[in-house]
Amino acid sequence: MTRVLMISDIHGCLAPLKELLSEMNYQPDADKLLLLGDYVDRGPCSRETVDYIMELMQCNRVIALKGNHDQRLVDWVRSVDGTVTDRFLAHGGLQTIHSYCKITSELSTEGFEQARQEIGRHYEHHLAFLDSLPLYYEDDQHIYVHAGLNPNYPNWRDQPAYDFMYIKEPFHRSPALRNKTVVFGHTRAVELHGSPDVWFGPGKIGIDGGCAYGLQLNGLIHEGGSYSTLCIQNSLQEEM
Ligand SMILES: [Mn+2]
């Protein structure tokens, strides 16, 4: 029986990711691994996390989806004039800059611009990788997506890329799909049911444990028709 392992919102928390995969007894040759996006920002090791995920994906049983933070990093570095800088910095981008550029001094506007160009020069392979990631994946029983599905689209596949990466309440409030359960991240479980543990709603499962906020990295396992969960408590200090 193939196991499907699901993890979301790693946000540069590489040590908890490695620990979780080991706790889950991840077997690359046998398990399917679904990563639901947001590999960068907020946590301490964005660059190393992207490297590690690219490495994991040498195995064709690994599927990594694109999250809004992954897209924003690409957009920021590739933008002509750095217009996305404010939004990037407001959502944990500073930690990403430190991870990629090893800058120790206080960053000025000029510094941010230098960092942007430096990442563009040396990490185009990361940007191309993140940019190439799909917005969803589905199998017989599940739809996997970073943020959710917009209930206003009769066929959810037609919804804009933005909805796949950003949607919140309209999705949480929407009725379950008839035949598939949606597994998603993006909205922290603590906002859905007051606990960082995996949220099992009708036809929806929210797995973002809020790791980069000092909560936990959740792992969801689907095997033989039933679910189990594991989590790693995060202590960011250890990694800094
Ligand atoms: Mn997100």
Side-chain angles (χ1 to χ4, degrees):
M1 192 66 72
T2 302
R3 298 195 306 166
V4 181
L5 314 183
M6 295 153 268
I7 303 174
S8 191
D9 294 80
I10 297 157
H11 283 299
C13 297
L14 183 60
L17 172 62
K18 288 183 173 173
E19 206 179 321
L20 179 59
L21 288 172
S22 148
E23 276 298 298
M24 293 170 113
N25 189 27
Y26 170 53
Q27 303 292 329
D29 297 336
D31 298 326
K32 195 157 191 170
L33 177 61
L34 262 296
L35 304 170
L36 305 193
D38 278 4
Y39 309 103
V40 300
D41 296 343
R42 292 204 173 101
C45 303
S46 288
R47 176 179 58 83
E48 296 88 341
T49 300
V50 175
D51 270 335
Y52 186 64
I53 288 163
M54 290 173 77
E55 210 175 288
L56 287 176
M57 285 188 73
Q58 302 292 317
C59 166
N60 60 10
R61 305 174 73 91
V62 180
I63 289 139
L65 303 180
K66 192 196 286 186
N68 55 311
H69 284 262
D70 311 316
Q71 183 70 62
R72 185 161 44 224
L73 174 60
V74 172
D75 292 345
W76 176 62
V77 177
R78 287 184 173 172
S79 61
V80 180
D81 52 1
T83 40
V84 199
T85 302
D86 290 348
R87 266 189 295 137
F88 176 65
L89 293 174
H91 296 91
L94 191 57
Q95 289 88 329
T96 301
I97 289 177
H98 282 295
S99 161
Y100 273 93
C101 300
K102 304 298 171 213
I103 292 162
T104 46
S105 59
E106 195 87 342
L107 278 176
S108 56
T109 308
E110 211 172 68
F112 291 131
E113 185 51 28
Q114 276 172 14
R116 193 173 75 84
Q117 290 180 16
E118 193 178 318
I119 298 171
R121 262 199 312 278
H122 300 298
Y123 292 94
E124 177 50 38
H125 60 300
H126 277 204
L127 304 176
F129 168 73
L130 294 173
D131 199 33
S132 74
L133 298 176
L135 295 168
Y136 67 86
Y137 180 78
E138 59 182 320
D139 56 26
D140 289 347
Q141 293 165 75
H142 297 101
I143 295 163
Y144 308 88
V145 63
H146 178 62
L149 305 182
N150 185 335
N152 295 324
Y153 287 81
N155 181 347
W156 56 267
R157 295 172 195 82
D158 295 336
Q159 76 179 19
Y162 186 89
D163 286 334
F164 282 108
M165 295 186 286
Y166 280 93
I167 198 164
K168 287 197 166 182
E169 284 80 11
F171 165 63
H172 306 150
R173 279 191 269 107
S174 67
L177 295 181
R178 256 186 313 114
N179 52 359
K180 284 185 187 182
T181 298
V182 182
V183 185
F184 67 100
H186 186 60
T187 301
R188 291 177 301 155
V190 74
E191 294 168 51
L192 295 166
H193 66 152
S195 155
D197 295 339
V198 173
W199 174 70
F200 291 90
K204 304 183 184 79
I205 304 177
I207 68 171
D208 176 5
C211 187
Y213 293 85
L215 296 173
Q216 64 193 40
L217 189 64
N218 286 326
L220 174 67
I221 302 171
H222 186 247
E223 183 180 22
S226 58
Y227 298 101
S228 58
T229 64
L230 280 169
C231 74
I232 300 298
Q233 303 297 327
N234 191 20
S235 46
L236 289 172
Q237 287 76 6
E238 277 176 32
E239 239 181 314
M240 299 295 269

